[in-house]
Amino acid sequence: MPDNPLRPTSPSPVSDLTVSFVQASLQWHKPEDNRAELASHIDAISIATDLLVLPEMFTTGFSMEAAQLAEPVEGPTLAWMRNLAASRDAVVTGSVITEEDGHYYNRLLWVRPDGTFSHYNKRHLFRMAGEHEVYTPGQHRLVEEWRGWRICPLICYDLRFPVWSRNTAAEPYDLLLYMANWPAARRTAWITLLRARAMENLAYTMGVNCLGTDLRGNSYEGDSALLDMKGEYLVEVGNQETSITRTLRRADLEAYRMRFPALLDGDAYELQL
């Protein structure tokens, strides 16, 4: 029988991972302005990083105007992300409104320094804003391996669904990401669920939100955060515009999983899509 990837082992020689994220105000429906604003924040990151995370729909804000705003697969934002990934020698990730084969997607792009990329289409569409009436839901989760770390990137409303976020033996991960446009009116849920996902999955967890006010009058006040596998804050930034870089310690992760191997007692299940 193969080893369970979630079974704790002695700390491995795999290197630490340096991660960065940007929390910024988004200009609604202004892709060029948003790319320029985010680039200015990224330029302020002087430390070498392995991973750079941007918010959900970072070129437009959280919009249902897909017909007006959607980019093709090989669109200008993917080109911008490719240039950024190459220049920083880092994976760059964030979600973009994308059109493919007559469908619109809230699509997370995972862009590597060599220009190759993967994608994840948001699975849980926020029906309270009518997202499910405009976009096609994703059918597959994405777990990427990058510089010895396994990383699961998800989008906003996915945070409310622990089964989809579950750290499993079939698709284990070390770092769980959520990029969001999460309104201030539901701030308590954002803070609480990020901590819950970190603790229950024994994984570093990052939530990257935006600032500003959208066309419906919803206010976004950030609260981007990075938590460790115990649910303790490594970074919490409140409502300021900022770029943050921190290094995740592999030895700390593996040592905690050895001391507290709760994932081995998780319930088996089969997800029906």
Side-chain angles (χ1 to χ4, degrees), residues 48-272:
T49 191
D50 299 301
L51 175 66
L52 177 58
V53 184
L54 304 173
E56 177 186 23
M57 292 190 182
F58 66 85
T59 61
T60 59
F62 186 63
S63 177
M64 300 304 106
E65 301 298 326
Q68 171 189 344
L69 298 169
E71 296 187 15
V73 174
E74 293 282 344
T77 299
L78 176 58
W80 179 81
M81 294 173 77
R82 279 175 163 152
N83 288 335
L84 181 59
S87 66
R88 304 294 305 211
D89 189 29
V91 161
V92 178
T93 187
S95 94
V96 181
I97 301 173
T98 304
E99 187 276 330
E100 185 176 24
D101 297 331
H103 294 271
Y104 298 117
Y105 298 96
N106 184 345
R107 177 167 289 182
L108 179 152
L109 299 174
W110 180 270
V111 184
R112 305 175 191 91
D114 65 0
T116 62
F117 70 99
S118 302
H119 74 265
Y120 161 71
N121 296 323
K122 186 179 181 182
R123 170 65 184 167
H124 298 94
L125 302 176
F126 191 60
R127 70 175 55 249
M128 283 66 82
E131 188 180 16
H132 66 302
E133 297 174 346
V134 177
Y135 298 94
T136 299
Q139 299 297 313
H140 303 285
R141 201 172 72 165
L142 179 67
V143 176
E144 284 285 329
E145 185 163 350
W146 179 239
R147 293 180 177 166
W149 289 64
R150 290 179 63 83
I151 303 167
C152 179
L154 298 173
I155 304 175
C156 202
Y157 194 41
D158 287 332
L159 177 62
R160 288 185 177 267
F161 301 92
V163 173
W164 190 246
S165 302
R166 181 75 173 272
N167 201 353
T168 66
E171 289 186 314
Y173 57 76
D174 308 304
L175 171 61
L176 180 60
L177 303 179
Y178 295 97
M179 53 202 65
N181 274 210
W182 196 285
R186 291 182 287 279
R187 178 176 183 264
T188 299
W190 170 255
I191 294 168
T192 303
L193 294 174
L194 279 175
R195 297 195 76 181
R197 297 294 88 84
M199 289 185 281
E200 70 193 10
N201 292 300
L202 302 186
Y204 287 107
T205 299
M206 182 191 295
V208 180
N209 199 15
C210 66
L211 301 168
T213 302
D214 68 18
L215 296 180
R216 297 184 179 188
N218 295 307
S219 175
Y220 301 85
E221 295 187 6
D223 291 309
S224 298
L226 176 62
L227 302 100
D228 70 10
M229 50 282 171
K230 296 175 286 186
E232 301 291 343
Y233 283 105
L234 301 176
V235 176
E236 51 180 329
V237 299
N239 64 357
Q240 62 183 313
E241 292 205 3
T242 188
S243 55
I244 294 291
T245 300
R246 292 291 186 274
T247 297
L248 308 183
R249 305 299 180 188
R250 182 68 181 218
D252 292 348
L253 175 65
E254 296 199 3
Y256 185 71
R257 286 177 171 177
M258 288 182 67
R259 294 194 306 271
F260 194 78
L263 292 175
L264 299 182
D265 298 317
D267 302 304
Y269 65 92
E270 183 176 339
L271 188 64
Q272 299 294 324

Side-chain angles (χ1 to χ4, degrees), residues 9-62:
T9 60
S10 59
S12 74
V14 173
S15 64
D16 298 334
L17 188 77
T18 300
V19 298
S20 302
F21 67 81
V22 176
Q23 177 175 283
S25 297
L26 298 181
Q27 302 301 312
W28 304 101
H29 294 190
K30 296 182 178 180
E32 291 185 9
D33 291 350
N34 285 317
R35 288 192 292 265
E37 176 67 18
L38 289 165
S40 69
H41 287 286
I42 293 165
D43 287 344
I45 300 173
S46 60
I47 303 169
T49 191
D50 299 301
L51 175 66
L52 177 58
V53 184
L54 304 173
E56 177 186 23
M57 292 190 182
F58 66 85
T59 61
T60 59
F62 186 63

